[in-house]
Amino acid sequence: MGKEGFLSPKAIGNRIKAKGLQKLRWYCQMCQKQCRDENGFKCHCMSESHQRQLLLASEDPNKIMDNFSQEFKNDFIELIRRRFGTKRVQNNIVYNEYINDREHVHMNSTQWETLTEFTKWLGKEGFCKVDETPKGWYIQYIDRDPETIRRQEELERKKKQDLDDQERSAKFIEEQVRRGQGGREPEVRVCDYISVTFNLAKGSCSSADGPSKASVALGPSALKAAGSVKRKDAPSTSEAKEKKKKSALDEIMEMEEQKKRSVRADHWLHPGIVIKVVTKRLGEKYHKKKGVVKEVQDKYTAVVKMIDSGDKLKLDQSHLETVIPAPGKRVLVLNGVYRDTEALLASIDERKFSATLTLDSGRMKGRRVDGIAYEDFSKMA
């Protein structure tokens, strides 16, 4: 017989068994002790420490169960959020990963008797989306983090705004083209009508008898008169056509330029605007303090002069945010179709995180624009 010791086969086998998961019916949740067999569990239940834990639990058993249930629920949801995110996954897969931890809270100490009951409870309380299939129950985590919801709303709002700007530009171009075509066609019709009616009137005056001489005599004068009329009218119509062609062409070119500018850029800094420092790396002295952009370097870096202290800082645009003034104040549009356009702040829509601006410069001066996002304009210094 081999000598009993730390490296004996029996000792090694016992340590291997102790590392893995063992039978749940021999686990005491109150004492958090796992027994190897029925005899060990029986001895543990008769021990003094176990009896003390039972006395403590008997004082308020509902509170003990609620604590275990809350801990089990928090750990289970945290595992879903961290491991699977918002993917749809079978509840057994999540539970098998959860029980890999030896120190986990066992379900028999919670208010739920089965995993199916717990899955239904998660769907009823709105923590997850649950659905039953022939292969079993599937769960999908619902991310209700305020920061995540805010980012999703901002992305949807920017996407909708880009689509609105593109549709508005396309409609305006179509209208200008239609107006240009409609302005040229009536002139051509009128000129053709005059020439045709004039020729028909002249031909109707001729007869088969002697008046042929009169017609010959009247022909040159009539032709001269018609030629003079055409010579007098031709310059005016051609000039009008050129003017209308030029105006329609200019407007289309302007809209093309605006359409190019409507492509949102990933940089928005501009000299002369008021900004707010949002980074905490510089300390409380500059956090949430306002400054004026004095210079923009490489599109993404700004030299900022703080309003309170007068200090000059070199900051990246990710550490800054725009400043929304009171209605009636002057602002500068920093992104979108009306980029680099000065405007007046007409009103603020706090529910949609946007504002209504009245353009105060450029060819669109006086135009009222709705739905400009907070991050697309800032107060002017």
Side-chain angles (χ1 to χ4, degrees):
M1 296 295 294
K3 186 177 179 181
E4 296 293 336
F6 182 77
L7 296 179
S8 63
K10 184 176 181 180
I12 294 174
N14 290 337
R15 286 198 298 273
I16 293 174
K17 291 179 181 178
K19 285 183 179 179
L21 294 176
Q22 301 183 24
K23 291 188 177 181
L24 181 60
R25 62 178 178 175
W26 297 332
Y27 181 82
C28 178
Q29 184 66 58
M30 286 298 302
C31 303
Q32 297 183 359
K33 180 177 178 59
Q34 176 69 57
C35 299
R36 296 183 183 176
D37 51 20
E38 187 175 359
N39 185 37
F41 185 71
K42 181 179 178 181
C43 293
H44 170 71
C45 292
M46 295 174 61
S47 65
E48 184 178 356
S49 60
H50 181 75
Q51 296 298 326
R52 283 198 303 266
Q53 292 293 335
L54 291 181
L55 291 175
L56 293 175
S58 62
E59 295 178 359
D60 193 354
N62 292 330
K63 182 179 179 180
I64 300 297
M65 181 177 290
D66 292 342
N67 291 337
F68 285 140
S69 301
Q70 185 69 19
E71 186 177 354
F72 177 82
K73 185 261 294 183
N74 292 339
D75 294 342
F76 194 89
I77 292 179
E78 179 64 20
L79 176 63
I80 298 175
R81 186 189 66 81
R82 185 182 68 252
R83 175 68 175 82
F84 301 98
T86 56
K87 296 180 181 178
R88 182 172 173 267
V89 63
Q90 195 172 9
N91 59 353
N92 279 326
I93 296 177
V94 183
Y95 185 73
N96 288 333
E97 290 198 15
Y98 175 76
I99 63 176
N100 282 336
D101 182 13
R102 292 189 61 192
E103 305 299 329
H104 72 276
V105 178
H106 290 73
M107 185 176 289
N108 61 356
S109 61
T110 64
Q111 63 183 6
W112 306 286
E113 296 181 357
T114 61
L115 182 59
T116 301
E117 184 180 351
F118 176 65
T119 303
K120 292 180 180 179
W121 182 87
L122 289 177
K124 182 179 179 181
E125 295 296 326
F127 292 104
C128 300
K129 294 180 181 178
V130 300
D131 58 316
E132 186 179 9
T133 65
K135 294 183 179 181
W137 285 87
Y138 282 81
I139 57 179
Q140 184 178 1
Y141 177 67
I142 301 175
D143 193 352
R144 300 186 184 276
D145 185 16
E147 186 66 20
T148 304
I149 296 174
R150 186 184 65 83
R151 287 198 300 268
Q152 292 177 354
E153 291 178 352
E154 287 183 356
L155 291 175
E156 291 177 358
R157 184 171 65 251
K158 288 181 180 179
K159 185 177 180 181
K160 183 179 179 181
Q161 184 177 358
D162 293 341
L163 292 175
D164 293 343
D165 292 342
Q166 293 176 3
E167 290 177 0
R168 194 182 299 110
S169 301
K171 288 182 180 179
F172 189 79
I173 292 174
E174 291 177 1
E175 183 180 355
Q176 294 301 321
V177 173
R178 187 170 60 253
R179 285 172 55 187
Q181 293 177 352
R184 290 195 299 269
E185 289 177 0
E187 294 180 2
V188 175
R189 292 195 192 99
V190 170
C191 293
D192 293 344
Y193 176 77
I194 291 173
S195 62
V196 171
T197 53
F198 182 78
N199 291 333
L200 289 175
K202 186 178 72 126
S204 62
C205 294
S206 61
S207 62
D209 297 327
S212 59
K213 296 180 179 180
S215 64
V216 172
L218 291 173
S221 61
L223 292 174
K224 289 180 181 179
S228 63
V229 170
K230 288 184 178 180
R231 282 193 296 273
K232 290 179 181 179
D233 292 342
S236 61
T237 55
S238 61
E239 291 176 359
K241 288 179 181 179
E242 290 178 0
K243 288 181 180 179
K244 290 189 177 182
K245 286 181 181 179
K246 289 181 180 178
S247 62
L249 184 60
D250 291 340
E251 291 175 354
I252 292 174
M253 291 176 65
E254 290 175 6
M255 290 307 304
E256 287 296 332
E257 292 178 358
Q258 291 182 1
K259 188 175 180 181
K260 291 179 181 178
R261 292 188 302 174
S262 66
V263 179
R264 298 182 62 83
D266 58 350
H267 57 88
W268 53 268
L269 293 174
H270 195 282
I273 63 172
V274 181
I275 50 82
K276 182 185 293 184
V277 180
V278 295
T279 181
K280 295 182 179 180
R281 297 180 180 179
L282 302 177
E284 295 297 331
K285 180 180 179 181
Y286 300 111
H287 185 236
K288 294 295 183 181
K289 296 295 189 282
K290 297 180 182 179
V292 180
V293 177
K294 294 297 183 181
E295 182 184 354
V296 179
Q297 300 177 357
D298 300 331
K299 297 183 181 180
Y300 303 96
T301 307
V303 178
V304 180
K305 183 178 181 180
M306 305 306 296
I307 296 177
D308 294 340
S309 60
D311 299 340
K312 284 190 176 181
L313 306 175
K314 190 175 181 181
L315 300 170
D316 187 79
Q317 72 172 10
S318 60
H319 299 155
L320 306 173
E321 70 176 8
T322 58
V323 175
I324 311 301
K329 300 293 184 179
R330 296 185 67 81
V331 298
L332 182 68
V333 183
L334 305 175
N335 217 335
V337 181
Y338 308 102
R339 187 186 181 96
D340 300 335
T341 303
E342 297 181 6
L344 296 176
L345 181 59
S347 62
I348 298 175
D349 190 349
E350 297 181 357
R351 185 173 59 85
K352 296 182 179 180
F353 302 99
S354 61
T356 301
L357 305 181
T358 303
L359 303 183
D360 197 39
S361 65
R363 297 189 178 183
M364 298 291 183
K365 184 176 181 179
R367 185 173 181 178
R368 192 180 181 91
V369 183
D370 299 328
I372 302 297
Y374 286 167
E375 59 269 17
D376 289 345
F377 69 94
S378 185
K379 178 182 178 181
M380 296 184 63

